[in-house]
Amino acid sequence: MEKILQVKYCTLPTGDYQISDDIIFERKTFNDWEGSVIDGRIFKQAERLKEEFKTPVFILEGGPKYGGPAYSKPKLTKAALHSSMLSIGLGFGIPIIPSNNPTETANIIIQAVRRLDKDTKIKHVQTHKKGKTLKEQRMQVFLCFPGIGPKLAN
């Protein structure tokens, strides 16, 4: 299999996949997007992304409209969904890219890396969910350093 990217796993304060100093991707499943809109987190998150990065991007993954699993009761009306997307896209200037599934999300990120620089392999960073305990959080920080694996970090 062709080696496409060098990957560094690390906890980021904001976003999910950082492919350069300026560009970060925030991945949201369709259900998470709805929940984030309902409780207002999406707008606070968009504000943080915009403050910290020149080019933040949301990837909206799944949902019936994008080929993901159907769900029985939508949490948002179609108008509310569109309004939230317009607020993020127009109000914050953050593009929203639809994705069918995690594989397609990975391919979108790979395409973005290739578009940045076709000759140089650019590192991207994937976060994990924030550790539940202080020990888990410290371990995630140590794992960001080159040459530190789980055994040494522990």
Side-chain angles (χ1 to χ4, degrees):
M1 179 183 271
E2 174 190 358
K3 185 175 181 182
I4 299 171
L5 300 173
Q6 292 177 342
V7 179
K8 178 181 177 186
Y9 294 92
C10 185
T11 299
L12 297 171
T14 307
D16 292 319
Y17 304 94
Q18 182 178 352
I19 64 169
S20 76
D21 289 339
D22 295 330
I23 302 172
I24 189 131
F25 287 88
E26 172 64 31
R27 176 187 160 268
K28 291 277 186 201
T29 64
F30 191 79
N31 289 335
D32 188 32
W33 181 277
E34 286 186 311
S36 296
V37 169
I38 290 167
D39 67 17
R41 281 180 295 137
I42 194 80
F43 306 109
K44 292 173 188 166
Q45 191 170 32
E47 191 174 313
R48 281 193 314 274
L49 287 167
K50 200 67 178 167
E51 286 173 359
E52 295 182 30
F53 294 92
K54 182 178 177 184
T55 311
V57 179
F58 276 101
I59 295 180
L60 182 54
E61 189 177 283
K65 187 168 186 148
Y66 302 113
Y71 55 96
S72 56
K73 289 188 174 186
K75 298 173 191 167
L76 295 175
T77 65
K78 191 179 275 191
L81 175 64
H82 292 160
S83 179
S84 68
M85 295 171 92
L86 287 168
S87 292
I88 298 299
L90 299 176
F92 289 94
I94 301 175
I96 303 166
I97 300 174
S99 170
N100 291 322
N101 53 52
T103 300
E104 189 171 277
T105 296
N107 287 329
I108 289 167
I109 294 168
I110 290 167
Q111 283 182 296
V113 170
R114 286 182 175 156
R115 183 178 173 118
L116 278 177
D117 190 344
K118 293 181 181 187
D119 297 327
T120 306
K121 295 201 187 299
I122 298 173
K123 295 179 183 178
H124 86 264
V125 178
Q126 174 186 2
T127 68
H128 295 284
K129 296 291 182 191
K130 185 176 178 181
K132 292 180 183 177
T133 66
L134 184 58
K135 183 178 178 180
E136 288 174 350
Q137 291 172 9
R138 285 182 179 158
M139 186 166 179
Q140 288 173 336
V141 170
F142 289 128
L143 289 172
C144 293
F145 295 103
I148 305 284
K151 195 173 190 177
L152 187 58
N154 204 3

